[in-house]
């Protein structure tokens, strides 16, 4: 069996998590009622422009932020899950066949949950 250098991946994933947290903070904030949930920063209704078209732009911007946030949140959760797998000792094992995921694949995609065959 291959000895997995989890410290290396842990460092990579921790850096990735930090980067994603920064990006998440630029488009949203943590839900005060649920620390595991991020929500896009809402348009401030008190400062909504008077112009109808500008209001539409503001809403559109919010929808864009929501879409970006949703994507970031998926990546962020993948990174968090990969870090949890490192802690539980299941990192680098395919979720389907339980075989080792190749080092090359993990190097390219540390959040990979499956081997190439079960991708
Ligand atoms: Zn597999």
């Amino acid at each position: 069996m291959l000895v997995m250098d989890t410290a290396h991946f842990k460092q990579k994933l921790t850096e990735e998590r930090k980067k994603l947290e920064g990006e998440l903070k630029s488009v949203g904030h943590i839900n005060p009622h649920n620390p595991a949930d991020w929500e896009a920063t809402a348009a401030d209704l008190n400062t909504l422009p008077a112009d109808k078209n500008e209001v539409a732009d503001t809403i559109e911007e919010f929808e864009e932020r929501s879409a970006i946030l949703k994507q970031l949140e998926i990546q962020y959760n993948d990174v968090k899950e990969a870090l949890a797998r490192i802690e539980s000792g299941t990192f680098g094992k395919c979720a389907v066949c339980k075989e080792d995921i190749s080092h090359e694949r993990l190097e390219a995609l540390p959040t990979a949950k499956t081997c190439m065959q079960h991708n």
Side-chain angles (χ1 to χ4, degrees), residues 94-99 114-119:
C94 173
V96 180
C97 65
K98 316 290 176 204
E99 291 294 318
T114 54
C115 69
M116 287 296 240
Q117 262 177 308
H118 298 112
N119 189 22

Side-chain angles (χ1 to χ4, degrees), residues 14 21 35 50 98 103:
T14 305
E21 266 170 10
K98 316 290 176 204
H103 198 275

Side-chain angles (χ1 to χ4, degrees), residues 31-43:
N31 180 342
H33 305 293
N34 178 3
D37 187 33
W38 288 77
E39 41 188 34
T41 304

Side-chain angles (χ1 to χ4, degrees), residues 62-77:
F62 172 65
E63 282 171 356
E64 265 169 38
R65 272 202 302 274
S66 300
I68 294 167
L69 187 107
K70 209 176 275 178
Q71 284 307 311
L72 287 171
E73 209 175 8
I74 292 168
Q75 292 176 42
Y76 184 66
N77 286 334

Side-chain angles (χ1 to χ4, degrees), residues 5-79:
D5 180 12
T6 51
H8 164 72
F9 290 109
K10 188 174 180 174
Q11 194 194 348
K12 266 184 99 143
L13 286 160
T14 305
E15 278 168 21
E16 183 69 13
R17 185 177 61 183
K18 213 182 284 172
K19 200 188 98 195
L20 285 165
E21 266 170 10
E23 288 176 23
L24 277 162
K25 278 180 190 150
S26 72
V27 288
H29 54 263
I30 294 170
N31 180 342
H33 305 293
N34 178 3
D37 187 33
W38 288 77
E39 41 188 34
T41 304
D44 187 348
L45 295 174
N46 296 316
T47 58
L48 270 184
D51 188 302
K52 260 189 192 163
N53 292 327
E54 282 181 40
V55 171
D57 282 351
T58 307
I59 292 168
E60 207 170 287
E61 274 171 33
F62 172 65
E63 282 171 356
E64 265 169 38
R65 272 202 302 274
S66 300
I68 294 167
L69 187 107
K70 209 176 275 178
Q71 284 307 311
L72 287 171
E73 209 175 8
I74 292 168
Q75 292 176 42
Y76 184 66
N77 286 334
D78 277 351
V79 169

